Amino acid sequence: LRVMGDIIENHVAGDSSVYGAIIRLGQPFMVGHPLIKIEGKSGSYHSPHDSAAPRYLNMAISEFARDIFFNGVHPSTIPMVPAKIFGTFEPEYLIPKLPTALLLGNLTVGFGFKSTTPMIDFEDICHLVMIYAEYYEKHATGLPDAKKIAPFLIPSFPINNIITNKRELLHAYCKKEYTHPINQEGWVDLTGNNITLRSLPYGVDFGTVTSELRETMRNKKHWLWDYITSANQFSSSEAEFTMEIKRGLNPFLVLNKLKATLKFSRKWTPIYSYMKSGRAITLYPDTLTAPWYHERYLSIA
């Protein structure tokens, strides 16, 4: 509750939206690398909103966030501004060891703008930083060749997802077309007469989809009953939503029939919007990495 109060003092938002953001930053399946460590019931992938009330949770900065923002960082390299408490100062912004805007991704709506940016794998981010370091050792301005950094910009998500157009994305990124649509599919197991749904495209709420499916199947005349005999969640610790199909039916054909209902596929276009000095600006991965690198380089030097 104290954390929420401190945030609301500085950000115009309701307590429920602030609480939701805090929970999301502590969920590995949402951010990949949690910035917050939460002790207590903080939701699961198959039920992300099933978290305890704030008074039952203990929250602290995660070891990942402590390492990437603070460990080994000299306080004199952090730009400071006067704080609300007279005579004290606080960081104007932090300079992470890696460009977290690319590492963590973003799915949000801000004041008057929307931003949806994909995540990139930790190892790929490290390779990307090394390319920038090698480039700026030889050049004072400009950006590295797009073809050289393109292979390290392919999205990677913290849940089992399949990107079905990686080759198209690579071709687009080589031409600096960073808003090319990303095609995703969830993860299923096909065994015998069972279709077991284990994940959906990143950004699609697993719990909502499965609840809607169960609600739909209450109508015994619905077309789903032509293919499925039952649908149940069998595990309380992981996403394991199993649908038993009628004998004699091809499970692959049934899955194709169910894809729209299950929201198994998703096509989304990244929007690279960020806030700077109170206004929304567009920064693509190449132009975003450059200012981060220069800030980080100066803080070390």
Side-chain angles (χ1 to χ4, degrees):
L1 291 174
R2 179 180 176 182
V3 172
M4 292 174 60
D6 291 341
I7 293 173
I8 291 172
E9 276 190 21
N10 296 282
H11 296 277
V12 182
D15 54 357
S16 60
S17 59
V18 171
Y19 170 67
I22 292 173
I23 292 296
R24 181 179 182 276
L25 289 174
Q27 294 175 328
F29 55 87
M30 289 299 297
V31 294
H33 306 281
L35 299 180
I36 294 174
K37 179 174 63 177
I38 300 176
E39 294 180 0
K41 189 178 181 182
S42 58
S44 58
Y45 173 66
H46 59 82
S47 186
H49 307 296
D50 186 22
S51 53
R55 61 183 178 274
Y56 299 119
L57 301 175
N58 290 321
M59 304 173 190
I61 185 172
S62 70
E63 288 302 315
F64 170 79
R66 191 179 301 279
D67 184 53
I68 203 167
F69 286 110
F70 301 108
N71 290 347
V73 176
H74 197 282
S76 65
T77 65
I78 301 175
M80 306 294 285
V81 294
K84 284 188 176 182
I85 302 175
F86 182 75
T88 62
F89 292 84
E90 63 185 13
E92 183 180 9
Y93 55 85
L94 299 173
I95 307 171
K97 296 176 183 177
L98 293 173
T100 50
L102 299 178
L103 183 64
L104 302 178
N106 186 37
L107 293 172
T108 189
V109 177
F111 291 103
F113 77 98
K114 183 179 181 181
S115 181
T116 58
T117 60
M119 301 177 183
I120 299 177
D121 182 74
F122 189 95
E123 188 173 344
D124 284 341
I125 290 288
C126 292
H127 282 295
L128 186 67
V129 169
M130 290 170 65
I131 290 173
Y132 273 76
E134 292 171 359
Y135 176 84
Y136 287 119
E137 281 184 3
K138 302 175 183 178
H139 307 85
T141 59
L143 297 171
D145 181 19
K147 292 181 179 179
K148 195 169 184 179
I149 67 174
F152 304 109
L153 297 178
I154 302 298
S156 175
F157 299 98
I159 55 175
N160 284 328
N161 264 196
I162 300 172
I163 299 176
T164 59
N165 64 333
K166 284 187 177 181
R167 186 173 296 180
E168 290 179 19
L169 291 175
L170 181 60
H171 182 69
Y173 295 166
C174 286
K175 298 189 294 182
K176 295 190 174 185
E177 297 173 358
Y178 298 116
T179 57
H180 192 82
I182 301 168
N183 297 339
Q184 292 175 271
E185 287 193 356
W187 192 271
V188 296
D189 289 338
L190 299 178
T191 54
N193 289 330
N194 291 331
I195 297 176
T196 302
L197 184 66
R198 298 196 181 278
S199 73
L200 291 171
Y202 182 73
V204 178
D205 191 319
F206 188 94
T208 299
V209 170
T210 53
S211 295
E212 288 176 353
L213 182 63
R214 279 194 292 263
E215 186 66 27
T216 299
M217 292 189 69
R218 290 186 178 182
N219 178 7
K220 297 297 182 180
K221 296 182 179 180
H222 196 275
W223 63 265
L224 283 171
W225 287 103
D226 294 335
Y227 303 92
I228 298 175
T229 59
S230 63
N232 298 285
Q233 175 80 35
F234 285 108
S235 174
S236 60
S237 59
E238 61 180 339
E240 190 177 337
F241 189 80
T242 299
M243 293 157 284
E244 184 178 353
I245 64 175
K246 290 188 174 181
R247 292 188 177 276
L249 295 180
N250 186 323
F252 292 97
L253 296 179
V254 175
L255 178 60
N256 285 333
K257 184 73 175 177
L258 292 174
K259 277 187 177 181
T261 302
L262 295 175
K263 298 180 182 177
F264 183 75
S265 303
R266 184 188 185 201
K267 181 177 182 178
W268 63 289
T269 302
I271 303 173
Y272 292 92
S273 296
Y274 301 93
M275 288 296 291
K276 183 179 181 181
S277 302
R279 63 187 183 90
I281 62 172
T282 298
L283 287 174
Y284 296 118
D286 56 348
T287 55
L288 184 147
T289 307
W292 165 83
Y293 178 83
H294 291 303
E295 285 269 10
R296 175 67 181 160
Y297 179 84
L298 289 174
S299 71
I300 295 172

